Amino acid sequence: MTGNYLKEKNFYNNLIEICESIANGNYEYAKQLFEMTNFNNYPKPIARLAESFGLMLVKVEAREFHLETIIDQLRQTQQDLIKAHQQLKDENAELKQKLHQKFSFQNIIGKSKAVLNIIEKIKKTANTPFPILLTGETGTGKEVIANAFHYSSIRANHPFIAINCSALPKDLIEAELFGIEKGVATGVDKREGKLVLAKKGTIFLDEIGDLSLSNQAKLLRALEEKKITPLGGKRPIPVQARIIAATNKNLEKEIKKGSFREDLFYRLNVIHIHIPPLRERPDDIPLLIKFFLENTCKQLGLKVKNLTPQAKQALLNYSWPGNVRELKNEIERAIVLSDTETIDVKDLSEKITISQENSNPLQLMSHHNNLTLKEAEKILIQQVLENTQGNKTEAARRLGISREGLRKKMKRLGIKLLND
């Protein structure tokens, strides 16, 4: 009896130690528990205890398996994120490279002296921190030149942000440029200004001549102090972006009228580039026609269309008051409307075909009978000057004489322009 008692006592002591160990997380004792209770001659409470521990271990194993599965999934997600991040980084680098290739000065189209001078100035000044002022008629390509400055410089990997100063109301453009603090007005959230968002990149301010005098004053301060204060803000924020401004206005005349600050003009006019209208650089027109033909046909998935000699001559003779933008629109229109692989005069706009007819001396003279040679010559020169909007260089080219020759003929025939 004593022997059985001691045996049972030892058994229960061992059982308690094993259960305590398992309860403390030492699951390796579970096997001993099952071995100890693998007989039917033990009381039911012992069997239920073993069964309870067994169920607990099953749940623990299931939980651990679930945790391991989650950990594996998280590791896979981490690998996917790393891969996606690298892919995004590669795509971003590729996009920046494409932007650099598309907008750098190497892609400025033209062989005229004016365009070559602009390219040379971009090469020399692209990496300087000074402001740039671009002037020229609407459609001459001022934003193209601004992009060329940015993507040909050390700023190419930073943002290029363009703002049209004439397209936004005074208060809105102030918030766009300088930012606004939360709570300045009901429902207004905090918004950083474009001058800050550009970081070390470029801010292109198109139509700077339309900027209000109050915003001109703030812009001048930003240029001088390299800091801005948002609307409703108290602390100035450093600004590192380069300013490129553009206008189709004569800012010196605007200064005299009192609509543009003289001090801001001189601050912006550190590097000045004037982009002449297309009619003053006719040598660039054939290159631009070729580029727009190829580029537009490629975008539309078409075989590159050709121009008949008559259509090409009509395009060369037109004065292009809308400049490069108008030429681009005309080529796109002609490509869409032409039914064949060749663009003829009939596919061009009426204004261009009329201009072509008026530029033909024989057609011009056919409307005037019984004229002396001097009278016919005067009418011809007057008509060509009218078609070229008084541009003597272009008129001389169409007449097949030198500019000096045209000047002498105008003097001899008593022809004067309004701006002479």
Side-chain angles (χ1 to χ4, degrees):
M1 189 72 180
T2 304
N4 288 335
Y5 171 77
L6 290 174
K7 185 178 179 181
E8 288 183 4
K9 183 179 180 181
N10 289 335
F11 169 81
Y12 284 115
N13 287 338
N14 289 337
L15 182 62
I16 290 170
E17 289 178 2
I18 289 172
C19 290
E20 287 178 346
S21 297
I22 293 173
N24 290 327
N26 299 320
Y27 303 126
E28 63 270 14
Y29 288 97
K31 186 176 181 180
Q32 296 181 34
L33 174 63
F34 291 133
E35 289 178 353
M36 290 179 66
T37 57
N38 197 23
F39 302 100
N40 295 325
N41 58 345
Y42 292 109
K44 289 184 179 180
I46 300 298
R48 283 197 299 270
L49 176 65
E51 184 179 355
S52 298
F53 269 99
L55 290 171
M56 181 188 74
L57 290 175
V58 169
K59 291 180 180 180
V60 168
E61 288 178 355
R63 185 177 63 188
E64 288 182 346
F65 176 77
H66 181 61
L67 288 173
E68 287 177 1
T69 302
I70 292 175
I71 291 171
D72 288 341
Q73 290 174 347
L74 289 173
R75 284 174 179 163
Q76 184 60 48
T77 302
Q78 183 185 35
Q79 292 299 318
D80 292 342
L81 286 172
I82 292 172
K83 185 178 179 180
H85 176 73
Q86 185 60 45
Q87 184 178 353
L88 185 62
K89 188 176 178 181
D90 294 341
E91 288 175 355
N92 190 35
E94 184 181 356
L95 178 60
K96 286 180 178 178
Q97 183 63 27
K98 286 181 179 178
L99 287 171
H100 183 273
Q101 292 172 352
K102 182 178 180 180
F103 293 114
S104 66
F105 68 84
Q106 289 98 333
N107 290 293
I108 295 177
I109 300 164
K111 64 177 183 179
S112 64
K113 185 178 179 180
V115 169
L116 295 178
N117 287 340
I118 290 172
I119 292 172
E120 188 61 29
K121 191 169 283 189
I122 293 173
K123 289 180 183 178
K124 289 180 178 178
T125 62
N127 286 327
T128 64
F130 307 121
I132 299 166
L133 179 62
L134 306 176
T135 57
E137 294 179 8
T138 299
T140 49
K142 295 185 286 294
E143 187 163 355
V144 172
I145 301 302
N147 271 289
F149 266 106
H150 177 77
Y151 287 103
S152 301
S153 73
I154 55 177
R155 301 174 183 270
N157 290 328
H158 298 278
F160 176 90
I161 299 178
I163 297 178
N164 189 323
C165 299
S166 66
L168 297 171
K170 172 187 170 182
D171 295 337
L172 186 55
I173 197 168
E174 185 176 0
E176 283 290 302
L177 280 174
F178 309 109
I180 189 168
E181 292 294 333
K182 184 177 181 179
V184 171
T186 305
V188 173
D189 293 325
K190 177 182 175 65
R191 186 165 76 248
E192 284 192 302
K194 295 292 194 294
L195 285 165
V196 173
L197 291 174
K199 300 178 181 178
K200 294 182 180 180
T202 301
I203 284 285
F204 175 56
L205 300 177
D206 199 9
E207 306 300 346
I208 189 73
D210 294 328
L211 197 65
S212 68
L213 287 170
S214 60
N215 284 331
Q216 288 178 35
K218 286 193 171 187
L219 179 61
L220 177 63
R221 177 172 291 183
L223 286 167
E224 291 178 342
E225 299 180 0
K226 304 293 183 184
K227 294 178 182 178
I228 61 167
T229 302
L231 280 168
K234 297 179 180 179
R235 295 182 180 180
I237 303 172
V239 172
Q240 303 178 72
R242 183 187 205 174
I243 303 292
I244 300 180
T247 182
N248 60 5
K249 294 183 176 181
N250 185 324
L251 292 185
E252 291 174 317
K253 288 184 179 179
E254 297 300 313
I255 290 169
K256 291 178 181 178
K257 291 194 301 184
S259 59
F260 201 84
R261 294 180 62 108
E262 187 175 16
D263 45 6
L264 177 59
F265 170 73
Y266 289 119
R267 195 71 184 81
L268 292 171
N269 201 35
V270 179
I271 299 170
H272 178 209
I273 290 182
H274 178 71
I275 307 168
L278 196 54
R279 61 183 176 274
E280 292 182 9
R281 42 191 179 102
D283 291 345
D284 295 337
I285 296 177
L287 296 177
L288 289 165
I289 291 173
K290 182 176 182 294
F291 172 77
F292 292 139
L293 277 172
E294 293 176 352
N295 194 51
T296 305
C297 287
K298 182 179 179 181
Q299 288 179 356
L300 297 175
L302 301 173
K303 182 180 178 181
V304 178
K305 298 191 176 187
N306 297 313
L307 293 167
T308 64
Q310 294 80 7
K312 185 174 182 181
Q313 193 60 49
L315 293 172
L316 292 174
N317 287 341
Y318 186 60
S319 59
W320 299 110
N323 293 294
V324 179
R325 186 180 298 139
E326 184 183 10
L327 174 59
K328 179 176 182 289
N329 292 342
E330 181 62 31
I331 296 298
E332 291 174 346
R333 176 186 175 280
I335 289 171
V336 172
L337 293 180
S338 62
D339 298 324
T340 64
E341 294 181 357
T342 304
I343 297 172
D344 198 4
V345 176
K346 64 179 178 60
D347 300 314
L348 302 178
S349 300
E350 184 180 0
K351 60 186 177 183
I352 294 175
T353 57
I354 291 174
S355 176
Q356 170 69 356
E357 292 172 0
N358 290 340
S359 67
N360 188 322
L362 293 177
Q363 288 178 323
L364 282 172
M365 292 302 98
S366 67
H367 299 290
H368 301 277
N369 299 318
N370 303 319
L371 295 175
T372 65
L373 181 60
K374 184 177 181 180
E375 289 171 337
E377 186 178 24
K378 183 175 182 178
I379 291 173
L380 173 61
I381 292 173
Q382 287 175 326
Q383 185 66 61
V384 173
L385 284 168
E386 182 181 337
N387 291 339
T388 59
Q389 299 179 348
N391 186 290
K392 295 176 184 177
T393 301
E394 175 62 15
R397 185 185 71 82
R398 294 189 184 187
L399 290 165
I401 60 178
S402 67
R403 194 178 190 279
E404 180 62 20
L406 174 61
R407 188 190 68 78
K408 290 179 179 179
K409 284 181 180 291
M410 289 174 64
K411 184 177 181 181
R412 177 170 58 83
L413 297 169
I415 299 173
K416 290 186 178 181
L417 298 176
L418 291 176
N419 57 357
D420 281 352

XYZ file of all heavy atoms in Angstrom, residues 36-98:
521
model
N 2.402 9.988 -19.984
C 2.013 9.691 -18.608
C 0.524 9.361 -18.490
O 0.112 8.595 -17.625
C 2.328 10.883 -17.682
C 3.827 11.097 -17.460
S 4.114 12.519 -16.396
C 3.420 11.936 -14.850
N -0.265 9.959 -19.357
C -1.718 9.769 -19.248
C -2.265 8.870 -20.346
O -3.446 8.927 -20.678
C -2.420 11.141 -19.323
O -2.040 11.781 -20.559
C -2.049 12.019 -18.164
N -1.390 8.024 -20.891
C -1.780 7.184 -22.015
C -2.343 5.834 -21.546
O -2.275 4.855 -22.254
C -0.581 6.960 -22.936
C -1.005 6.448 -24.298
O -2.143 6.646 -24.706
N -0.087 5.783 -24.974
N -2.803 5.814 -20.297
C -3.364 4.584 -19.756
C -4.786 4.856 -19.272
O -5.114 5.973 -18.872
C -2.498 4.062 -18.597
C -1.073 3.800 -19.018
C -0.067 4.730 -18.742
C -0.730 2.631 -19.697
C 1.224 4.490 -19.124
C 0.578 2.402 -20.082
C 1.568 3.329 -19.808
N -5.582 3.814 -19.256
C -6.984 3.980 -18.880
C -7.227 3.830 -17.373
O -8.343 3.979 -16.909
C -7.860 2.941 -19.611
C -7.846 3.181 -21.103
O -7.794 4.318 -21.534
N -7.917 2.089 -21.868
N -6.178 3.493 -16.611
C -6.371 3.236 -15.185
C -6.162 4.483 -14.326
O -5.941 4.376 -13.124
C -5.427 2.122 -14.702
C -3.971 2.481 -14.968
O -3.691 3.387 -15.730
N -3.072 1.739 -14.338
N -6.182 5.686 -14.960
C -6.057 6.910 -14.178
C -7.433 7.550 -14.044
O -8.304 7.378 -14.908
C -5.075 7.882 -14.825
C -3.655 7.361 -14.775
C -3.023 6.925 -15.937
C -2.988 7.289 -13.549
C -1.739 6.434 -15.894
C -1.692 6.794 -13.510
C -1.072 6.368 -14.673
O 0.200 5.877 -14.629
N -7.602 8.296 -12.993
C -8.916 8.931 -12.765
C -9.310 9.847 -13.918
O -8.464 10.379 -14.633
C -8.710 9.722 -11.465
C -7.524 9.092 -10.819
C -6.661 8.579 -11.916
N -10.643 9.992 -14.075
C -11.149 10.836 -15.160
C -10.635 12.270 -15.102
O -10.376 12.874 -16.148
C -12.676 10.819 -15.156
C -13.248 9.498 -15.619
C -14.769 9.570 -15.689
C -15.335 8.231 -16.193
N -16.825 8.273 -16.262
N -10.493 12.891 -13.886
C -9.961 14.282 -13.847
C -8.594 14.388 -14.507
O -8.309 15.387 -15.176
C -9.894 14.593 -12.355
C -10.946 13.739 -11.766
C -10.933 12.455 -12.552
N -7.763 13.313 -14.336
C -6.429 13.348 -14.947
C -6.568 13.284 -16.465
O -5.908 14.011 -17.209
C -5.582 12.164 -14.433
C -5.432 12.239 -12.909
C -4.223 12.175 -15.109
C -4.729 13.475 -12.428
N -7.446 12.441 -16.941
C -7.656 12.306 -18.378
C -8.185 13.608 -18.966
O -7.773 14.042 -20.040
C -8.620 11.157 -18.655
N -9.132 14.259 -18.217
C -9.673 15.522 -18.722
C -8.598 16.608 -18.730
O -8.566 17.460 -19.620
C -10.870 15.964 -17.856
C -12.143 15.165 -18.171
C -13.374 15.868 -17.644
N -13.344 16.032 -16.196
C -13.842 15.133 -15.337
N -14.410 14.008 -15.783
N -13.793 15.350 -14.032
N -7.737 16.545 -17.687
C -6.633 17.513 -17.635
C -5.734 17.353 -18.852
O -5.378 18.329 -19.521
C -5.829 17.310 -16.345
C -4.568 18.201 -16.215
C -4.948 19.666 -16.118
C -3.754 17.772 -14.979
N -5.389 16.105 -19.152
C -4.531 15.848 -20.304
C -5.225 16.289 -21.591
O -4.613 16.881 -22.488
C -4.185 14.359 -20.363
N -6.541 16.005 -21.650
C -7.294 16.382 -22.845
C -7.339 17.905 -23.010
O -7.200 18.445 -24.110
C -8.719 15.826 -22.743
C -9.552 16.099 -23.997
C -10.959 15.510 -23.865
O -11.240 14.835 -22.862
O -11.757 15.770 -24.783
N -7.513 18.613 -21.868
C -7.558 20.082 -21.909
C -6.236 20.665 -22.380
O -6.186 21.577 -23.212
C -7.904 20.632 -20.519
O -9.175 20.193 -20.124
N -5.154 20.102 -21.833
C -3.838 20.573 -22.268
C -3.613 20.258 -23.743
O -3.001 21.031 -24.481
C -2.734 19.939 -21.402
C -2.386 20.763 -20.197
C -2.913 20.467 -18.958
C -1.539 21.855 -20.327
C -2.590 21.241 -17.849
C -1.218 22.617 -19.222
C -1.744 22.319 -17.972
N -4.108 19.114 -24.145
C -3.965 18.750 -25.563
C -4.674 19.739 -26.471
O -4.141 20.180 -27.490
N -5.927 20.078 -26.090
C -6.668 21.063 -26.880
C -5.966 22.414 -26.889
O -5.935 23.120 -27.904
C -8.087 21.210 -26.324
C -9.011 20.012 -26.535
C -10.318 20.202 -25.753
C -9.316 19.823 -28.021
N -5.439 22.775 -25.721
C -4.724 24.048 -25.638
C -3.529 24.063 -26.579
O -3.266 25.036 -27.294
C -4.257 24.294 -24.196
C -3.524 25.628 -24.024
S -2.780 25.780 -22.388
C -1.382 24.660 -22.583
N -2.821 22.936 -26.613
C -1.643 22.858 -27.476
C -2.029 22.913 -28.948
O -1.321 23.512 -29.769
C -0.881 21.562 -27.179
C -0.174 21.525 -25.825
C 0.442 20.149 -25.593
C 0.903 22.589 -25.747
N -3.155 22.292 -29.267
C -3.628 22.358 -30.659
C -3.904 23.811 -31.046
O -3.535 24.272 -32.131
C -4.885 21.490 -30.840
C -5.529 21.770 -32.195
C -4.526 20.015 -30.715
N -4.578 24.531 -30.096
C -4.862 25.940 -30.373
C -3.588 26.762 -30.482
O -3.475 27.650 -31.332
C -5.758 26.508 -29.267
C -7.171 25.951 -29.282
C -8.000 26.549 -28.156
C -9.413 25.984 -28.164
N -10.234 26.555 -27.055
N -2.637 26.471 -29.605
C -1.357 27.200 -29.645
C -0.646 26.949 -30.974
O -0.136 27.872 -31.621
C -0.463 26.789 -28.461
C 0.956 27.312 -28.671
C -1.033 27.339 -27.166
N -0.624 25.667 -31.362
C 0.030 25.337 -32.629
C -0.680 26.015 -33.810
O -0.048 26.509 -34.738
C 0.048 23.823 -32.828
C 1.029 23.114 -31.916
C 1.002 21.599 -32.106
O 0.144 21.137 -32.888
O 1.824 20.917 -31.487
N -2.022 26.029 -33.741
C -2.774 26.680 -34.808
C -2.474 28.177 -34.845
O -2.307 28.779 -35.914
C -4.273 26.447 -34.613
N -2.417 28.782 -33.645
C -2.109 30.216 -33.588
C -0.710 30.492 -34.105
O -0.487 31.438 -34.843
C -2.241 30.694 -32.141
C -2.067 32.209 -31.984
C -2.272 32.631 -30.558
N -1.254 32.027 -29.706
C -1.265 32.094 -28.375
N -2.270 32.691 -27.763
N -0.314 31.524 -27.665
N 0.248 29.647 -33.700
C 1.620 29.833 -34.169
C 1.714 29.650 -35.680
O 2.418 30.393 -36.369
C 2.554 28.857 -33.455
C 2.783 29.222 -31.993
C 3.758 28.266 -31.333
O 4.032 27.186 -31.930
O 4.248 28.594 -30.233
N 0.958 28.662 -36.196
C 0.940 28.456 -37.648
C 0.355 29.686 -38.354
O 0.867 30.134 -39.375
C 0.118 27.210 -37.974
C -0.029 26.980 -39.459
C 1.029 26.454 -40.211
C -1.213 27.316 -40.106
C 0.881 26.250 -41.572
C -1.358 27.120 -41.470
C -0.306 26.585 -42.204
N -0.746 30.220 -37.747
C -1.376 31.410 -38.319
C -0.409 32.590 -38.286
O -0.299 33.348 -39.267
C -2.645 31.730 -37.529
C -3.392 32.917 -38.045
N -3.915 32.969 -39.318
C -3.688 34.119 -37.445
C -4.492 34.133 -39.503
N -4.382 34.846 -38.377
N 0.294 32.743 -37.165
C 1.270 33.833 -37.049
C 2.400 33.671 -38.057
O 2.841 34.648 -38.674
C 1.832 33.890 -35.622
C 0.873 34.410 -34.541
C 1.500 34.245 -33.162
C 0.531 35.876 -34.797
N 2.866 32.444 -38.206
C 3.929 32.196 -39.181
C 3.457 32.515 -40.598
O 4.202 33.067 -41.406
C 4.390 30.742 -39.088
C 5.207 30.450 -37.844
C 5.586 28.991 -37.740
O 5.211 28.218 -38.661
O 6.241 28.618 -36.752
N 2.196 32.165 -40.875
C 1.625 32.474 -42.197
C 1.559 33.987 -42.425
O 1.916 34.489 -43.495
C 0.209 31.883 -42.325
O 0.266 30.466 -42.109
C -0.366 32.158 -43.706
N 1.099 34.693 -41.366
C 1.035 36.158 -41.467
C 2.422 36.751 -41.672
O 2.625 37.652 -42.491
C 0.364 36.756 -40.211
C -1.113 36.363 -40.174
C 0.521 38.274 -40.184
C -1.824 36.794 -38.912
N 3.393 36.224 -40.906
C 4.777 36.715 -41.036
C 5.300 36.468 -42.440
O 5.937 37.342 -43.046
C 5.679 36.048 -39.978
C 5.302 36.560 -38.580
C 7.150 36.325 -40.277
C 5.968 35.808 -37.450
N 5.011 35.283 -42.990
C 5.444 34.978 -44.366
C 4.799 35.945 -45.365
O 5.448 36.412 -46.296
C 5.077 33.528 -44.727
C 5.940 32.517 -43.994
O 7.024 32.917 -43.507
O 5.524 31.342 -43.891
N 3.500 36.215 -45.124
C 2.797 37.145 -46.013
C 3.381 38.548 -45.914
O 3.531 39.247 -46.925
C 1.307 37.159 -45.673
C 0.580 35.874 -46.045
C -0.855 35.867 -45.557
O -1.264 36.699 -44.732
N -1.643 34.909 -46.060
N 3.694 38.965 -44.676
C 4.297 40.286 -44.486
C 5.667 40.371 -45.160
O 6.006 41.402 -45.762
C 4.424 40.605 -42.994
C 3.109 40.900 -42.259
C 3.346 41.024 -40.765
C 2.481 42.186 -42.800
N 6.429 39.283 -45.033
C 7.743 39.278 -45.689
C 7.598 39.372 -47.214
O 8.360 40.079 -47.870
C 8.498 38.003 -45.307
C 9.069 38.042 -43.884
C 9.664 36.710 -43.506
N 10.222 36.755 -42.153
C 10.517 35.689 -41.426
N 10.289 34.465 -41.935
N 11.033 35.826 -40.225
N 6.599 38.645 -47.748
C 6.358 38.703 -49.182
C 5.906 40.094 -49.611
O 6.348 40.617 -50.630
C 5.293 37.674 -49.567
C 5.025 37.584 -51.071
C 6.262 37.207 -51.860
O 6.963 36.266 -51.501
N 6.544 37.947 -52.931
N 5.027 40.688 -48.768
C 4.578 42.047 -49.050
C 5.738 43.026 -49.022
O 5.839 43.934 -49.862
C 3.506 42.488 -48.032
O 2.412 41.568 -48.073
C 3.005 43.890 -48.331
N 6.636 42.818 -48.032
C 7.821 43.680 -47.945
C 8.673 43.564 -49.207
O 9.129 44.571 -49.760
C 8.642 43.309 -46.715
C 9.864 44.197 -46.507
C 10.719 43.721 -45.351
O 10.833 42.502 -45.121
N 11.306 44.642 -44.613
N 8.858 42.318 -49.674
C 9.637 42.112 -50.900
C 8.954 42.755 -52.105
O 9.612 43.360 -52.957
C 9.827 40.603 -51.144
C 10.709 39.904 -50.125
C 12.126 40.472 -50.098
O 12.715 40.745 -51.142
N 12.651 40.640 -48.890
N 7.615 42.628 -52.145
C 6.861 43.247 -53.243
C 6.992 44.767 -53.212
O 7.129 45.409 -54.262
C 5.386 42.848 -53.169
C 5.159 41.370 -53.457
O 6.074 40.746 -54.038
O 4.089 40.852 -53.089
N 6.945 45.319 -51.988
C 7.086 46.768 -51.855
C 8.470 47.242 -52.271
O 8.616 48.275 -52.933
C 6.794 47.195 -50.407
C 5.327 47.166 -49.977
C 5.213 47.426 -48.480
C 4.524 48.203 -50.749
N 9.487 46.485 -51.878
C 10.860 46.831 -52.266
C 11.004 46.785 -53.782
O 11.595 47.677 -54.404
C 11.869 45.867 -51.594
C 11.899 46.106 -50.082
C 13.265 46.043 -52.193
C 12.709 45.082 -49.310
N 10.414 45.737 -54.374
C 10.473 45.594 -55.830
C 9.714 46.729 -56.521
O 10.187 47.303 -57.507
C 9.867 44.242 -56.228
C 9.978 43.924 -57.711
C 9.402 42.547 -58.005
C 9.480 42.241 -59.503
N 8.905 40.894 -59.797
N 8.510 47.044 -55.980
C 7.708 48.121 -56.566
C 8.398 49.474 -56.422
O 8.366 50.298 -57.340
C 6.330 48.167 -55.902
N 9.037 49.668 -55.258
C 9.773 50.921 -55.027
C 10.916 51.071 -56.023
O 11.119 52.153 -56.587
C 10.309 50.943 -53.595
C 11.160 52.138 -53.284
N 10.640 53.398 -53.120
C 12.514 52.262 -53.141
C 11.622 54.248 -52.880
N 12.759 53.584 -52.889
N 11.626 49.982 -56.252
C 12.738 50.027 -57.202
C 12.228 50.266 -58.622
O 12.824 51.030 -59.396
C 13.531 48.718 -57.145
C 14.784 48.717 -58.007
C 15.769 49.801 -57.611
O 16.042 50.013 -56.432
N 16.291 50.505 -58.609
N 11.089 49.609 -58.948
C 10.494 49.801 -60.274
C 10.060 51.252 -60.462
O 10.279 51.853 -61.524
C 9.293 48.868 -60.447
C 8.668 48.934 -61.842
C 7.504 47.960 -61.995
O 7.249 47.148 -61.105
N 6.805 48.040 -63.106
N 9.424 51.813 -59.405
C 8.995 53.209 -59.459
C 10.195 54.137 -59.592
O 10.162 55.117 -60.352
C 8.195 53.554 -58.197
C 7.576 54.952 -58.138
C 6.570 55.146 -59.258
C 6.911 55.179 -56.782
N 11.263 53.803 -58.865
C 12.492 54.607 -58.935
C 13.078 54.561 -60.338
O 13.499 55.586 -60.886
C 13.504 54.062 -57.911
C 14.740 54.904 -57.749
C 15.627 54.331 -56.646
C 16.898 55.155 -56.501
N 17.785 54.592 -55.449
N 13.098 53.358 -60.938
C 13.625 53.208 -62.301
C 12.754 53.958 -63.309
O 13.267 54.616 -64.220
C 13.701 51.722 -62.682
C 14.720 50.959 -61.850
O 15.602 51.609 -61.256
O 14.630 49.723 -61.789
N 11.415 53.831 -63.140
C 10.502 54.520 -64.050
C 10.627 56.032 -63.916
O 10.567 56.766 -64.910
C 9.059 54.094 -63.766
C 8.740 52.665 -64.200
C 7.338 52.244 -63.797
O 6.667 53.035 -63.092
O 6.921 51.130 -64.172
N 10.820 56.497 -62.671
C 10.993 57.931 -62.434
C 12.266 58.440 -63.110
O 12.264 59.504 -63.735
C 11.048 58.193 -60.931
C 10.985 59.663 -60.603
O 10.316 60.435 -61.279
N 11.692 60.078 -59.570
N 13.342 57.653 -62.981
C 14.606 58.032 -63.619
C 14.463 58.036 -65.139
O 14.980 58.928 -65.829
C 15.704 57.067 -63.190
N 13.731 57.027 -65.654
C 13.508 56.960 -67.104
C 12.671 58.132 -67.586
O 12.950 58.719 -68.643
C 12.805 55.639 -67.447
C 12.617 55.424 -68.949
C 11.900 54.125 -69.260
O 11.611 53.362 -68.313
O 11.623 53.868 -70.455
N 11.644 58.495 -66.794
C 10.790 59.627 -67.156
C 11.595 60.923 -67.166
O 11.454 61.738 -68.090
C 9.627 59.736 -66.166
C 8.666 60.913 -66.371
C 8.017 60.844 -67.744
C 7.612 60.946 -65.281
N 12.427 61.101 -66.151
C 13.261 62.310 -66.097
C 14.211 62.364 -67.285
O 14.459 63.430 -67.853
C 14.048 62.344 -64.785
C 13.191 62.681 -63.576
C 14.007 62.714 -62.299
C 13.150 63.104 -61.099
N 13.918 63.101 -59.839
N 14.749 61.193 -67.663
C 15.635 61.139 -68.813
C 14.896 61.516 -70.092
O 15.423 62.253 -70.941
C 16.234 59.733 -68.937
C 17.237 59.560 -70.079
C 18.459 60.431 -69.910
O 18.832 60.789 -68.791
N 19.096 60.784 -71.018
N 13.653 61.015 -70.227
C 12.857 61.340 -71.410
C 12.526 62.828 -71.443
O 12.546 63.453 -72.517
C 11.574 60.506 -71.422
C 11.794 59.046 -71.776
C 10.474 58.290 -71.800
C 10.692 56.826 -72.187
N 9.424 56.063 -72.181
